[in-house]
Amino acid sequence: MRVIIFGATGMVGQGVLRECLINPGIARVLVVGRSPTGVHDPKLAEIIHDDFLNYSAIEAELTGYDACFFCLGVSSIGMSEERYRHLTYDLALAAATTLARLNPQMTFTYVTGAGTDSTEQGPRMWARVKGNTENDLLKLPFKAAYMFRPGAIQPLHGARSKTAWVQAVYTATSPLWSVLRRISPSLVTSTEQMGRAMIHVARQGYPRKVLEMADINGI
């Protein structure tokens, strides 16, 4: 497979990128981001791109791919709904709409979150916005699209959060994560498992379009 990753410098994206690079079934990985990953690998290419609403300048470089792993995301803490919608819905749909047109046989995988509101009517702002994003991504003319809804994620193999206070929490609680994953597999996954599950679904499909934590850990 030839795959595109968005958000490869974030914690989940770092894990997905690692799994793609070590997977012998993936021949090429293209990362699209605002800053370099710092990773060097023969099958890795990177495009530094600033405007995540317009890809017209790089469309030729986005053609000929089998899958996209969209790991770009932000916390809603302290944000207005308008700002959060822009950074969540607008950016995801801009990339996905372009890729669906350029690669209609592509499988698109979107990292959303546990508790996302598919009805778009609930009281939690972030869950409504994520639900709207999921619903509209599933309407695009891809070969297939899958929504991944992880809860707590253990960072492995050097993956780190870009948010300082979040990384501090992960560091302080690191001894507990392996235990939590064993006793609560429906609540906790890892960056490694996220990457492996996304690759599996892109290659072989999955019976459901929306994958909850039990689905992710069961693959």
Side-chain angles (χ1 to χ4, degrees):
M1 290 196 302
R2 293 163 55 89
V3 306
I4 299 175
I5 302 176
F6 286 80
T9 59
M11 189 183 78
V12 173
Q14 291 168 42
V16 174
L17 174 59
R18 176 185 182 272
E19 296 307 313
C20 287
L21 293 177
I22 66 175
N23 189 301
I26 295 180
R28 179 174 174 82
V29 181
L30 174 65
V31 166
V32 180
R34 292 192 177 94
S35 58
T37 62
V39 176
H40 301 282
D41 189 276
K43 63 182 180 183
L44 173 64
E46 299 192 46
I47 297 175
I48 305 303
H49 188 69
D50 290 326
D51 188 352
F52 275 34
L53 293 175
N54 188 339
Y55 296 91
S56 58
I58 61 169
E59 283 190 359
E61 298 172 82
L62 301 177
T63 302
Y65 286 86
D66 305 296
C68 175
F69 303 133
F70 197 93
C71 308
L72 191 66
V74 296
S75 169
S76 65
I77 295 174
M79 281 195 193
S80 67
E81 182 163 352
E82 180 182 14
R83 179 62 175 165
Y84 184 68
R85 175 173 293 278
H86 171 69
L87 294 175
T88 301
Y89 180 94
D90 292 350
L91 299 194
L93 267 292
T97 301
T98 299
L99 291 174
R101 174 169 52 82
L102 298 175
N103 304 283
Q105 291 304 306
M106 171 178 277
T107 296
F108 188 91
T109 304
Y110 177 66
V111 179
T112 169
T116 292
D117 179 12
S118 297
T119 72
E120 307 177 31
Q121 302 299 316
R124 293 173 299 173
M125 177 272 284
W126 74 265
R128 294 194 306 271
V129 173
K130 285 283 194 181
N132 187 197
T133 305
E134 285 187 357
N135 290 339
D136 284 359
L137 287 173
L138 289 169
K139 295 173 186 175
L140 294 176
F142 287 111
K143 174 186 175 183
Y146 298 95
M147 309 294 112
F148 272 56
R149 292 182 176 180
I153 304 172
Q154 178 187 13
L156 295 177
H157 309 297
R160 297 176 60 85
S161 172
K162 295 174 71 174
T163 304
W165 70 266
V166 174
Q167 182 56 42
V169 171
Y170 278 121
T171 300
T173 58
S174 60
L176 303 176
W177 281 97
S178 295
V179 175
L180 288 173
R181 286 181 61 201
R182 286 198 301 272
I183 65 176
S184 301
S186 63
L187 300 177
V188 184
T189 189
S190 70
T191 52
E192 178 182 77
Q193 183 60 27
M194 283 288 291
R196 292 179 178 179
M198 291 170 77
I199 293 168
H200 176 92
V201 167
R203 180 176 287 127
Q204 300 186 32
Y206 197 74
R208 288 184 289 280
K209 299 298 183 183
V210 177
L211 287 79
E212 304 287 355
M213 189 71 91
D215 300 297
I216 295 167
N217 284 337
I219 292 175

